[in-house]
Amino acid sequence: MISRIKASPWVRGFCRCLAKGFGWFLSKVERMGWKKRVAWVCFITLFLLWFFSLPKPLFAPSYSTVVTDANGTLLGARLAADGQWRFPVSDSVPYKMERCIVMFEDQYFWYHPGVNPVSIFRAIRQNLSAGHVVSGGSTLTMQVIRSCRGHQVRSFSEKFIEMSMALRLELTYSKSEILKLYLDNAPFGGNTVGVRSASWRYFGRSCDNLSWAESALLAVLPNAPSLIHPGKNRQMLLEKRNRLLKKLQEEGVIDEESCELAISEPLPDKPQSLQFAAPHLVDRMRAAGKNDKVIRSTIDYTLQKRVESSVAYFKSVYSQNQVQNMAVVVAETRTGNVLAYCGNAGYDQEDNNHVDVIMASRSTGSTLKPFLFNAMIEDGELLPDMLQPDIPIQIAGYRPNNYERKFDGAVPAKEALARSLNIPAVLQLREYGIPRFMDYLKRMGITSLNYSAEHYGLTLILGGAEGSLWEITGSYASMARTLLRYSDARAYAEEDIHPLRLTAMPEEEKVRLRKEAPLFQAQAVWQTVNALKEVNRPGIANYWRLFSSSRLVAWKTGTSFGNKDAWAIGVTPEYVVGVWVGNADGEGRAGLTGVSHAAPVLFSLFNQLPATTWFREPAGMSEIEICAQSGYRKGINCPESKVVKGYEPQFETRPCPYHKIVHLTKDEQYRVNSSCLSVSEMTHVSWFVLPPSMEWYYKKHSTTYRELPPFMPGCNPDENTLPMEFIYPKESGKLFIPKDIDGKRSEIVFEVAHRNKSAVLYWHLDNVYLGETSEFHQMGVDTEVGIHVMTVADGDGNMITKKFEIVE
């Protein structure tokens, strides 16, 4: 046991002698009288009390939350629970600090057993001569005991206790450990405890990097921390520091030149704030209870400061429109390690800047659309070039609209995503299924979907759900990480799906993730990021085009209902950047959109990052033959096709539904059927035919679209070839009569599309004639609560009906 004691050789020799003496005592105790035995029992009892007198642990303080960047640069710290600046303990003592503190406090520290008799007798003599206490004669070991006992009132009995416990401390702890205990718990003025917190408070850097002058200053502070510190009695403090420096020179620790240079250094000003960067991140770490050690984060301090500077600039611009808050997160795509964490546009109480918006749940806007696009490609329900309906719709009382309130009739799926069109996205979600999509999002790491699919409905894809910038940005990184995994396996070995990280991932966590089945298919993700690469909305300034020529970024914006949230998220093989702009209190502002507010911040930040590359095409891409006009898989009636590379799921996508065989007269001027013309006199042609409602809008934008010829006079069209259909309401169901601002009932506007531009339509409600329309076929209706039937007929006798119910 004695061989394991971490004390000086002198103390270990003393213990060996004590053990031998105890053995001799046991051999003699049988011959002692009862008085001697009592005396020895008392002695042994006192000895045991002394031996077990040290508290366990010696110190049990609360520590400050201390967060550094990836290279050890301090980002910030928070007070410990007891209101002290006390940094977590370290493993060693810096050389300069060791020499200074021993020289000033206890020159014979390395030689005495915890108590220095010479110092004790000298202190007694000085105190008697002065008539009052001027010296305590305490060693560093005794001062450690005094600290762990809570700085009891000075008295002879307390001094005796400190001396006895100091001797006991030296039996258990090495000299280096005792010195470290002293420096970690000594007071350094005000509410600063420990040399490491003092170093940052007074000098703004670690004690490992202090100069001789700075180390000497900290060495003299614990001697009288309440009397002198850098904030007061500066001359007295300067004299004490310089005396110590000269003593170090006399003892040969430093040379004369070093001493003179150290003496010339000024004293620091008042203690500094321990918040240098990423204040919301430090708060987040503190809330997580990570305060028992220094937290080395993944943050890049230099990049963090650049991001904060950019956010401050854009805040000054946007605040003119009363847009006060902003959040940015920048991370590595490959690892998910966060490089910059800017939780808001400042850190004061004004304008709610203290709120960490990165972790706040906000309306997602259109930011979830790429995930639906990717999911449908993976499941064989969509191809990037596949035409999607873009027409006015109403589904179960829900009537979505595009942001620009315009319709194209039919749009390729990848263009609909790039332009962030709402109607195609809503129809895609209805086809894919809301519960199915919610499950997909949850497996990606979106944890904020706490309600049922019925609660969110189809608004889920347009911002009806809430999500945090942290999770959404992490999901974009996870999706892109799939491409890195399967296109560059040598450079990447982690699993695809995991959240962003603020600290390094433990190895066991990496092993667990590698065993999980991947969620994304790399070939589908390749098509998704290429669609996002083409984002180019009308009205965007030429700045974005200049930017896109310098580097490729897959990016998506989002705007919540009421202009309360503006999003922009971009990803490259190297970085993912997420931006949110708005007001933390939920106040909307006119003109606040992802394009106008969040995208400029996004591109500004990408411009400050190192050069980026583009994703490599993954292996396993299939060649798919698609219809040249519709983008669907080629059908039997498609006259032209093209081969594209894409993802080949287990189940093939649907063939083209729009190319149909139509029967025409020989001159192709009229459509016919067997009721009016024999088959031998017909010409059979493959024709690209959109439904009337899609055709109505599509032909306005497409110069190549050919309308179907009219039926030959005397030919009755089939029921399936009616030239008109309802645009609104699309389906039968319940309708609500809207009310104006003054509370008066307004009208429901019915709308019909007809293939013939010159057709005149006749409207009837419950067999009561309402009127006729030409060119633009809309009819306002204000009727009673109940079930009704709308009938619309054209001049050729074609007729369509719609049954609906008016409810309050």
Side-chain angles (χ1 to χ4, degrees):
M1 176 179 175
I2 294 176
S3 62
R4 294 196 300 268
I5 294 178
K6 298 182 290 184
S8 63
W10 186 91
V11 173
R12 287 198 295 269
F14 171 77
C15 290
R16 290 190 182 95
C17 293
L18 188 65
K20 292 180 180 179
F22 186 70
W24 173 84
F25 167 75
L26 291 176
S27 65
K28 300 293 184 180
V29 69
E30 294 180 352
R31 291 175 286 177
M32 293 181 182
W34 68 269
K35 291 184 178 180
K36 287 186 177 181
R37 290 186 181 184
V38 170
W40 275 108
V41 167
C42 292
F43 171 77
I44 292 173
T45 301
L46 291 174
F47 175 80
L48 292 176
L49 290 174
W50 170 79
F51 191 83
F52 294 103
S53 61
L54 293 181
K56 294 183 179 180
L58 275 177
F59 296 93
S62 58
Y63 291 105
S64 300
T65 301
V66 182
V67 183
T68 72
D69 80 341
N71 298 315
T73 302
L74 183 68
L75 296 176
R78 295 292 179 269
L79 286 168
D82 59 359
Q84 304 292 318
W85 289 110
R86 185 187 295 104
F87 281 22
V89 297
S90 60
D91 297 328
S92 61
V93 176
Y95 171 76
K96 293 178 182 178
M97 198 68 239
E98 173 193 314
R99 298 307 300 266
C100 289
I101 199 69
V102 171
M103 184 67 68
F104 183 77
E105 290 284 356
D106 190 357
Q107 293 186 61
Y108 300 100
F109 171 72
W110 299 105
Y111 309 106
H112 61 64
V115 177
N116 187 348
V118 176
S119 298
I120 294 296
F121 287 121
R122 184 179 64 247
I124 293 174
R125 178 169 52 82
Q126 291 175 347
N127 294 337
L128 291 175
S129 299
H132 61 275
V133 177
V134 296
S135 175
S138 294
T139 62
L140 284 175
T141 311
M142 293 171 63
Q143 292 184 55
V144 170
I145 295 298
R146 178 169 172 76
S147 293
C148 80
R149 286 176 55 79
H151 296 277
Q152 301 289 330
V153 177
R154 294 181 183 272
S155 63
F156 287 110
S157 60
E158 180 62 27
K159 180 66 67 174
F160 177 78
I161 293 173
E162 290 175 8
M163 292 169 62
S164 64
M165 291 182 67
L167 292 172
R168 176 63 187 87
L169 186 66
E170 295 264 352
L171 289 178
T172 304
Y173 291 84
S174 68
K175 287 289 186 178
S176 296
E177 290 174 326
I178 293 172
L179 182 60
K180 191 170 77 66
L181 283 171
Y182 172 80
L183 289 173
D184 285 339
N185 297 279
F188 283 86
N191 62 342
T192 304
V193 178
V195 68
R196 298 197 174 272
S197 57
S199 175
W200 282 104
R201 286 274 284 164
Y202 296 131
F203 304 110
R205 58 181 176 274
S206 169
C207 61
D208 299 306
N209 301 318
L210 296 182
S211 66
W212 280 108
E214 293 164 341
S215 299
L217 177 68
L218 293 184
V220 303
L221 278 178
N223 184 255
S226 61
L227 176 63
I228 53 174
H229 61 78
K232 64 179 182 180
N233 295 331
R234 295 174 62 83
Q235 186 59 36
M236 185 185 302
L237 180 61
L238 181 65
E239 292 173 357
K240 294 190 72 170
R241 183 201 71 175
N242 292 345
R243 282 198 299 270
L244 175 56
L245 289 171
K246 291 177 181 178
K247 192 171 184 179
L248 290 169
Q249 179 195 350
E250 294 171 359
E251 296 295 329
V253 177
I254 59 176
D255 56 31
E256 183 178 357
E257 182 180 2
S258 297
C259 181
E260 292 176 357
L261 289 173
I263 290 175
S264 66
E265 289 187 29
L267 294 180
D269 295 326
K270 62 180 181 179
Q272 302 180 22
S273 167
L274 291 184
Q275 183 56 64
F276 302 97
H280 301 91
L281 169 61
V282 180
D283 285 346
R284 180 175 172 179
M285 291 298 189
R286 182 184 186 184
K290 297 182 177 181
N291 53 5
D292 56 340
K293 60 182 179 181
V294 176
I295 305 163
R296 184 180 290 265
S297 71
T298 58
I299 298 295
D300 181 323
Y301 181 84
T302 303
L303 179 61
Q304 175 72 30
K305 297 300 289 184
R306 289 205 302 263
V307 169
E308 291 179 359
S309 177
S310 294
V311 168
Y313 166 75
F314 282 101
K315 161 70 181 298
S316 68
V317 176
Y318 296 159
S319 60
Q320 299 176 28
N321 187 34
Q322 299 301 308
V323 178
Q324 306 292 359
N325 304 111
M326 194 180 312
V328 171
V329 60
V330 181
E332 291 179 339
T333 305
R334 293 182 182 277
T335 62
N337 290 343
V338 175
L339 303 177
Y341 188 104
C342 189
N344 213 317
Y347 189 61
D348 48 43
Q349 294 291 329
E350 185 179 357
D351 301 324
N352 295 308
N353 284 329
H354 62 288
V355 177
D356 183 0
V357 186
I358 289 178
M359 301 305 298
S361 291
R362 310 288 303 195
S363 171
T364 56
S366 298
T367 57
L368 303 181
K369 289 177 181 177
F371 304 129
L372 177 60
F373 181 89
N374 190 82
M376 294 187 72
I377 291 179
E378 289 180 347
D379 291 345
E381 299 178 27
L382 191 68
L383 292 173
D385 295 292
M386 189 181 290
L387 286 180
Q388 303 294 292
D390 183 28
I391 57 176
I393 59 172
Q394 175 173 325
I395 303 173
Y398 174 53
R399 190 174 186 180
N401 210 332
N402 290 328
Y403 182 77
E404 296 177 351
R405 300 187 179 277
K406 297 178 181 179
F407 307 96
D408 288 351
V411 183
K414 64 182 181 182
E415 182 183 335
L417 176 62
R419 293 171 54 192
S420 197
L421 297 178
N422 292 336
I423 302 300
V426 170
L427 293 175
Q428 288 169 2
L429 180 58
R430 182 175 68 167
E431 178 182 348
Y432 189 77
I434 301 171
R436 187 175 164 200
F437 184 54
M438 287 179 61
D439 179 68
Y440 189 80
L441 293 174
K442 290 177 180 179
R443 286 187 290 148
M444 285 170 41
I446 305 296
T447 63
S448 53
L449 302 176
N450 300 318
Y451 299 99
S452 65
E454 291 75 17
H455 172 84
Y456 294 114
L458 293 173
T459 64
L460 172 66
I461 199 64
L462 303 183
E466 292 186 335
S468 66
L469 183 63
W470 178 259
E471 291 185 347
I472 294 175
T473 304
S475 296
Y476 274 75
S478 293
M479 184 170 67
R481 198 175 297 124
T482 305
L483 280 177
L484 302 181
R485 179 179 178 86
Y486 290 99
S487 63
D488 191 9
R490 294 172 302 172
Y492 187 73
E494 292 186 7
E495 186 47 69
D496 313 331
I497 309 301
H498 60 71
L500 298 178
R501 301 191 184 112
L502 292 170
T503 56
M505 175 182 277
E507 284 300 321
E508 57 271 19
E509 180 69 6
K510 292 181 181 180
V511 172
R512 184 187 66 81
L513 287 174
R514 289 177 193 146
K515 295 179 180 179
E516 293 186 356
L519 173 63
F520 297 109
Q521 297 296 329
Q523 297 82 4
V525 174
W526 167 256
Q527 294 174 292
T528 302
V529 297
N530 276 282
L532 294 174
K533 177 187 65 176
E534 302 300 329
V535 171
N536 186 14
R537 297 177 180 80
I540 299 179
N542 288 331
Y543 173 76
W544 314 122
R545 297 183 179 89
L546 291 174
F547 177 84
S548 63
S549 65
S550 63
R551 70 176 82 191
L552 295 176
V553 178
W555 63 290
K556 183 74 184 70
T557 61
T559 305
S560 68
F561 180 78
N563 301 94
K564 298 178 180 180
D565 306 273
W567 301 78
I569 302 171
V571 63
T572 69
E574 291 78 20
Y575 304 103
V576 59
V577 179
V579 178
W580 176 91
V581 180
N583 288 310
D585 61 4
E587 179 186 0
R589 299 302 301 173
L592 176 65
T593 67
V595 174
S596 63
H597 285 71
V601 182
L602 177 80
F603 290 133
S604 174
L605 295 175
F606 265 113
N607 242 356
Q608 299 179 51
L609 294 172
T612 56
T613 60
W614 186 240
F615 299 97
R616 298 180 185 178
E617 180 180 309
M621 296 289 286
S622 302
E623 291 188 345
I624 304 173
E625 187 176 12
I626 65 172
C627 174
Q629 284 185 278
S630 70
Y632 280 75
R633 190 177 293 272
K634 181 186 177 183
I636 58 175
N637 296 324
C638 292
E640 297 180 5
S641 64
K642 61 181 180 180
V643 176
V644 296
K645 285 188 174 182
Y647 175 62
E648 188 77 47
Q650 183 179 359
F651 303 101
E652 292 188 350
T653 53
R654 293 166 292 166
C656 175
Y658 299 129
H659 274 100
K660 300 176 180 179
I661 299 298
V662 296
H663 311 296
L664 307 174
T665 58
K666 292 292 185 180
D667 59 3
E668 298 186 2
Q669 295 298 310
Y670 296 99
R671 280 182 289 166
V672 293
N673 53 39
S674 59
S675 67
C676 59
L677 196 66
S678 64
V679 176
S680 61
E681 297 181 76
M682 297 180 189
T683 297
H684 310 289
V685 178
S686 176
W687 204 284
F688 181 63
V689 184
L690 291 175
S693 56
M694 292 174 63
E695 179 187 272
W696 174 257
Y697 294 97
Y698 185 73
K699 63 187 180 184
K700 297 178 182 180
H701 304 282
S702 175
T703 58
T704 62
Y705 185 76
R706 296 169 59 203
E707 297 182 54
L708 281 171
F711 272 92
M712 188 176 71
C715 262
N716 296 321
D718 299 330
E719 184 178 348
N720 295 330
T721 59
L722 288 174
M724 59 180 176
E725 69 175 349
F726 280 97
I727 295 178
Y728 180 80
K730 190 70 175 175
E731 299 175 351
S732 299
K734 296 179 180 180
L735 300 178
F736 297 86
I737 298 288
K739 292 185 178 181
D740 295 330
I741 297 177
D742 57 5
K744 295 181 179 180
R745 285 163 58 96
S746 183
E747 294 181 333
I748 298 176
V749 178
F750 283 69
E751 187 172 1
V752 170
H754 199 290
R755 294 190 190 279
N756 187 355
K757 294 181 180 179
S758 59
V760 177
L761 302 187
Y762 304 92
W763 300 71
H764 299 77
L765 179 64
D766 299 330
N767 296 320
V768 177
Y769 178 70
L770 297 179
E772 64 181 52
T773 58
S774 60
E775 191 172 356
F776 297 103
H777 304 293
Q778 295 179 341
M779 181 62 67
V781 174
D782 179 10
T783 188
E784 300 299 325
V785 173
I787 297 175
H788 304 274
V789 177
M790 175 69 78
T791 304
V792 182
D794 64 7
D796 296 326
N798 299 305
M799 184 181 300
I800 56 175
T801 62
K802 180 70 63 177
K803 187 176 182 181
F804 61 95
E805 181 183 359
I806 297 294
V807 295
E808 292 287 358

